[in-house]
Amino acid sequence: LFPKTVPNRSSGLLTPQEAICYDCSGFSPLSMYRIERTEDALYLLEQVLLILGKAVEYLITPANITLTTDTVFYSKETGEVKIAYVPVEGEADLRKNIIRFLLQLKTELCDGKEEYLRKTAQYIYYHNYYIRDMVNKIGRFRRQLYREEHSVNQTLQGAV
């Protein structure tokens, strides 16, 4: 999560008109990028889930964090992913929140491997797994995708 700067107030509470500022230097929201490869989408989702798993250390319930391509940030220079903490409006449902984010990641894919994101969404939505289990499953999908891509490349090289 991004470190935030809160106006210096003795009560520690913000009024609705006050803002919280995040130090996002070097990062851009995912909405500024075209995510065209399934491999990249799975990497980003995996990183987001790892961050959600750590949020509990700061007494933040992962289900209460809004996940969109506007609240998840990426540094092209370092490959690092961060989330700006924006509380979910309305009902907080972690699985639905993750699925909505996943659907946003899926919109510009053009590598023909969207099946992996569909499987990931089904796995997350229909099972009640811990965040760690979701990360492990995404890691397996990433390895499977890697092996699939490299076996195709080796086949193509052998044909030359």
Side-chain angles (χ1 to χ4, degrees):
L1 294 171
F2 275 116
K4 62 183 174 184
T5 306
V6 179
N8 188 10
R9 297 183 46 95
S10 59
S11 70
L13 300 175
L14 296 174
T15 65
Q17 293 78 25
E18 292 179 305
I20 295 176
C21 300
Y22 291 94
D23 178 12
C24 322
S25 58
F27 288 83
S28 297
L30 289 181
S31 60
M32 300 296 290
Y33 292 97
R34 285 183 53 108
I35 301 161
E36 298 177 340
R37 296 175 5 157
T38 301
E39 179 182 340
D40 296 336
L42 286 172
Y43 169 79
L44 292 167
L45 181 61
E46 183 179 52
Q47 294 304 304
V48 163
L49 290 173
L50 288 170
I51 293 168
L52 292 178
K54 291 180 183 174
V56 295
E57 295 174 13
Y58 300 97
L59 303 177
I60 298 173
T61 305
N64 291 330
I65 300 172
T66 300
L67 295 178
T68 68
T69 54
D70 291 322
T71 61
V72 177
F73 290 75
Y74 177 73
S75 170
K76 197 171 190 174
E77 187 176 305
T78 65
E80 190 177 3
V81 175
K82 290 193 178 190
I83 301 174
Y85 174 60
V86 177
V88 169
E89 292 182 14
E91 180 188 353
D93 183 322
L94 180 61
R95 288 184 296 163
K96 288 180 182 176
N97 200 8
I98 293 170
I99 298 301
R100 279 191 294 270
F101 176 66
L102 188 61
L103 291 173
Q104 286 184 325
L105 291 178
K106 189 178 173 182
T107 57
E108 296 183 358
L109 293 180
C110 59
D111 63 356
K113 309 283 187 204
E114 298 87 8
E115 178 71 14
Y116 285 97
L117 289 183
R118 188 187 62 72
K119 287 180 185 178
T120 302
Q122 285 179 330
Y123 179 83
I124 291 169
Y125 190 77
Y126 292 113
H127 301 91
N128 191 24
Y129 290 114
Y130 291 111
I131 291 174
R132 184 83 198 107
D133 296 325
M134 293 180 209
V135 169
N136 291 338
K137 186 67 168 182
I138 292 168
R140 284 192 291 275
F141 284 148
R142 288 183 64 206
R143 286 188 296 279
Q144 187 178 353
L145 180 60
Y146 178 84
R147 282 193 303 271
E148 182 181 307
E149 288 180 352
H150 282 74
S151 68
V152 169
N153 288 342
Q154 288 175 351
T155 303
L156 292 175
Q157 288 175 352
V160 173

